[in-house]
């Protein structure tokens, strides 16, 4: 089992390049099978979740050619089955995007129902509500969702909760439905817009992505395209908070600063200097951070995927902060781990009350999920002494070359698998 071993205390200084957005890529890869022509996708992050979805796509019969680490060609003309294996949905929930993609293209899809996950119970009722509204029969048999229709017909669909996944899934199916679909109360996240732009570049007719009303005129066929995925706003935000927590000075390059506005606003509020350039942001933290209050919200609000990272920074700030998680029910699991490093945090319902401390001390901790894992790494970088983060397989699901990028900023971090390697690291860093 791989772990990170970290010697904390170095301020992160330098430049870091951000990769393509994982959560946009997941939707885009699924949508790529909706034509029989070849699709080329660039700026693909080379992370576990993406590689699992590519495998799922190739197992149903699509041709997947990895042109290089960040570029892939997909051809969906040879798809022989519209059912996705449980093995994939178990590894990565977003395999459910194949439901919308297969239903749109073949009018039939069979995908296992994803179970709960580490950040809470995650229903997909809204996805199914959307497919039903488009005229599909949706049933659950033997653990799988079976969606089928003779014809999909455009419909006015209202989403009761703002959902990234439901918006993307319905948008895909509706792109190949007959007539006009309106999705109201749709998610406005940059990755929703990126999937819509991608589908439009394949010949779909989607308007309004990025607002809360998306209008889709169905088309009969989609065609080939070449598309480059937007930068990952959460990877960028993670490095921004790593700079803040270590009192560093980091230029985060290849980003769209507009997508980072909520993160930037909070960093400024807690006392960092943030300079925006055309496609970069520089974060400088020269003094102890201040406390603040934060509530996670759908975009353009403060992202839930940046919640653990800000908690780490606030746990080191002067004063008391309150962070309220309004999207997922179980996203404070990492707090107990952070407490082992010296943080003082009390979780009450969906809020964490954080009493700032002067500093953390390194400890052995476990990553409970992807973003919390990244946040524990930030905590380790800011802590005095050695931190070992277990279960980093979660972090690898969404961050490409995380430790290499951190090392290039002056962090002392290594990926290890044995106790002996940890001892060697300790001897080396003194
Ligand atoms: C996406 O998950 C992201 N995953 C998550 O990224 C992210 O945390 C989340 O959006 C919120 O921004 C991908 O894009 C692959 P939702 P998703 O549907 O689509 C409720 C990461 O770390 N809901 O927007 O599953 C749901 O329970 C992660 O990269 C329903 O009630 O999230 C939640 O409270 C993890 N019924 C809220 O909506 C539904 O049918 C928002 O969830 C669907 C969702």
């Amino acid at each position: 089992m791989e772990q990170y071993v970290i010697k904390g205390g170095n301020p992160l200084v330098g430049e870091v390049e951000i990769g393509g957005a994982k959560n946009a890529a997941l939707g885009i890869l699924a949508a790529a099978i909706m034509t029989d022509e070849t699709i080329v996708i660039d700026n693909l992050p080379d992370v576990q979740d993406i590689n699992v979805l590519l495998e799922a796509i190739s197992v149903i019969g699509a041709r997947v050619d990895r042109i290089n680490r960040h570029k892939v060609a997909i051809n969906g003309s040879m798809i022989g089955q519209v059912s996705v294996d449980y093995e994939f949905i178990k590894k990565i929930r977003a395999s459910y995007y194949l439901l919308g993609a297969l239903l749109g293209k073949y009018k039939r899809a069979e995908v296992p129902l994803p179970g709960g996950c580490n950040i809470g119970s995650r229903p997909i009722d809204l996805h199914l509500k959307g497919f039903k509204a488009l005229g599909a029969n949706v049933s659950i048999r033997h653990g799988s969702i079976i969606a089928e229709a003779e014809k999909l017909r455009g419909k006015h669909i209202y989403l009761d909760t703002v959902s990234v996944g439901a918006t993307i899934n319905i948008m895909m199916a509706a792109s190949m439905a007959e007539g006009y679909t309106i999705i109201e109360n749709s998610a406005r996240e940059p990755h929703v817009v990126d999937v819509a732009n991608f589908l439009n570049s394949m010949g779909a007719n989607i308007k309004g992505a990025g607002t809360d009303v998306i209008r889709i005129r169905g088309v009969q066929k989609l065609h080939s395209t070449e598309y480059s995925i937007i930068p990952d706003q959460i990877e960028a935000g993670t490095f921004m908070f790593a700079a803040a927590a270590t009192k560093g000075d980091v230029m985060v390059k290849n980003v769209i600063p507009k997508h980072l506005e909520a993160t930037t606003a909070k960093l400024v509020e807690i006392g960092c200097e943030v300079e925006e350039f055309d496609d970069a942001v520089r974060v400088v933290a020269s003094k102890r951070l201040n406390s603040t209050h934060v509530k996670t919200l759908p975009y353009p609000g403060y992202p839930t995927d940046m919640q653990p990272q800000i908690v780490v920074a606030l746990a080191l700030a002067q004063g008391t902060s309150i962070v309220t998680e309004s999207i997922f029910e179980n996203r404070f699991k990492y707090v107990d781990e952070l407490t082992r490093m010296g943080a003082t945090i009390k979780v009450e319902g969906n809020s964490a009350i954080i009493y700032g401390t002067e500093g953390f001390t390194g400890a052995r901790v476990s990553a409970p999920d992807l973003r919390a894992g990244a946040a524990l790494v930030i905590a380790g970088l800011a802590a005095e002494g050695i931190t070992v983060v277990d279960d980093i397989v979660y972090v690898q699901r969404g961050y490409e070359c995380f430790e290499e990028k951190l090392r290039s900023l002056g962090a002392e971090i290594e990926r290890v698998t044995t106790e002996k390697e940890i001892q060697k690291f300790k001897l080396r860093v003194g």
Side-chain angles (χ1 to χ4, degrees):
M1 208 178 54
E2 290 191 313
Q3 299 152 307
Y4 286 133
V5 55
I6 303 161
K7 170 150 187 277
N10 296 355
L12 296 191
V13 177
E15 296 183 352
V16 65
E17 253 335 291
I18 298 306
K22 168 187 78 89
N23 289 344
L26 292 169
I28 287 172
L29 290 177
I33 63 151
M34 294 180 72
T35 172
D36 285 346
E37 298 178 17
T38 298
I39 299 287
V40 177
I41 300 161
D42 206 353
N43 204 31
L44 194 68
D46 184 13
V47 294
Q48 185 67 15
D49 276 12
I50 296 299
N51 297 327
V52 172
L53 185 59
L54 283 172
E55 203 189 328
I57 287 171
S58 83
V59 165
I60 58 171
R63 189 170 165 167
V64 176
D65 291 315
R66 201 70 179 239
I67 299 164
N68 62 41
R69 189 168 185 189
H70 299 127
K71 194 167 182 176
V72 70
I74 294 176
N75 184 296
S77 62
M78 305 287 282
I79 289 176
Q81 66 182 72
V82 291
S83 83
V84 177
D85 207 90
Y86 181 56
E87 181 200 337
F88 296 109
I89 209 88
K90 224 170 53 183
K91 287 192 190 146
I92 171 202
R93 292 177 58 81
S95 313
Y96 60 38
Y97 283 144
L98 290 169
L99 257 178
L102 290 166
L103 181 65
K105 186 180 183 193
Y106 299 107
K107 313 295 177 257
R108 184 176 160 88
E110 194 173 326
V111 174
L113 187 65
C117 96
N118 289 9
I119 56 176
S121 112
R122 293 172 70 182
I124 63 159
D125 54 311
L126 295 173
H127 305 227
L128 307 187
K129 172 180 167 175
F131 299 144
K132 283 181 195 159
L134 294 174
N137 279 318
V138 180
S139 56
I140 295 175
R141 266 178 263 150
H142 308 295
S144 284
I145 303 155
I146 300 163
E148 51 197 337
E150 226 162 81
K151 266 185 191 167
L152 294 177
R153 285 205 179 83
K155 196 71 193 261
H156 198 131
I157 300 165
Y158 174 80
L159 296 181
D160 310 75
T161 304
V162 178
S163 161
V164 170
T167 304
I168 291 178
N169 234 340
I170 297 167
M171 202 163 68
M172 287 194 284
S175 290
M176 295 192 81
E178 271 181 17
Y180 200 48
T181 297
I182 299 177
I183 310 175
E184 274 202 73
N185 200 26
S186 51
R188 291 179 279 171
E189 268 68 3
H191 33 293
V192 173
V193 180
D194 210 35
V195 178
N197 287 342
F198 171 69
L199 281 162
N200 282 342
S201 77
M202 292 172 78
N205 184 347
I206 303 171
K207 296 203 168 91
T211 74
D212 57 5
V213 184
I214 297 181
R215 298 165 199 276
I216 304 156
R217 166 106 27 222
V219 296
Q220 280 191 344
K221 254 180 125 175
L222 296 170
H223 56 67
S224 72
T225 187
E226 244 191 272
Y227 194 83
S228 182
I229 293 168
I230 52 163
D232 196 309
Q233 97 218 42
I234 306 300
E235 186 193 10
T238 301
F239 280 99
M240 290 164 82
F241 271 102
T246 61
K247 298 206 181 73
D249 178 349
V250 176
M251 180 75 91
V252 184
K253 293 171 77 176
N254 185 34
V255 299
I256 299 173
K258 172 103 189 100
H259 295 170
L260 298 167
E261 273 174 353
T263 300
T264 299
K266 282 295 159 192
L267 282 164
V268 170
E269 219 171 286
I270 63 177
C272 298
E273 287 165 50
V274 183
E275 211 179 331
E276 283 186 8
F277 301 87
D278 285 348
D279 62 354
V281 287
R282 179 179 173 199
V283 179
V284 183
S286 45
K287 52 183 191 319
R288 189 164 177 208
L289 303 171
N290 308 317
S291 59
T292 190
H293 302 327
V294 191
K295 184 174 181 180
T296 62
L297 286 169
Y299 188 84
Y302 188 87
T304 173
D305 292 345
M306 288 298 307
Q307 181 258 97
Q309 299 89 321
I310 197 170
V311 167
V312 166
L314 294 176
L316 293 167
Q318 191 144 25
T320 303
S321 305
I322 300 177
V323 174
T324 303
E325 171 57 57
S326 79
I327 311 289
F328 292 114
E329 63 189 15
N330 200 5
R331 224 172 181 177
F332 284 127
K333 269 189 175 171
Y334 64 92
V335 160
D336 290 340
E337 302 298 293
L338 215 48
T339 305
R340 306 188 59 245
M341 300 179 72
T344 310
I345 303 174
K346 208 164 117 191
V347 176
E348 281 185 4
N350 65 344
S351 289
I353 304 154
I354 304 153
Y355 304 93
T357 176
E358 291 266 356
F360 297 145
T361 51
R364 188 155 190 155
V365 292
S366 273
D369 65 73
L370 166 60
R371 306 302 172 187
L376 289 171
V377 170
I378 297 177
L381 295 171
E384 179 212 316
I386 302 286
T387 294
V388 176
V389 183
D390 287 331
D391 295 333
I392 63 164
V393 59
Y394 287 113
V395 180
Q396 290 159 353
R397 290 180 62 165
Y399 291 89
E400 180 179 328
C401 298
F402 196 39
E403 67 279 14
E404 281 95 330
K405 289 185 184 185
L406 289 167
R407 265 203 302 269
S408 77
L409 297 171
E412 294 191 89
I413 174 168
E414 239 166 62
R415 184 155 34 137
V416 297
T417 40
T418 62
E419 205 53 43
K420 213 166 149 189
E421 284 176 291
I422 296 178
Q423 294 314 327
K424 245 169 89 185
F425 175 86
K426 283 184 180 166
L427 280 174
R428 189 171 59 72
V429 297

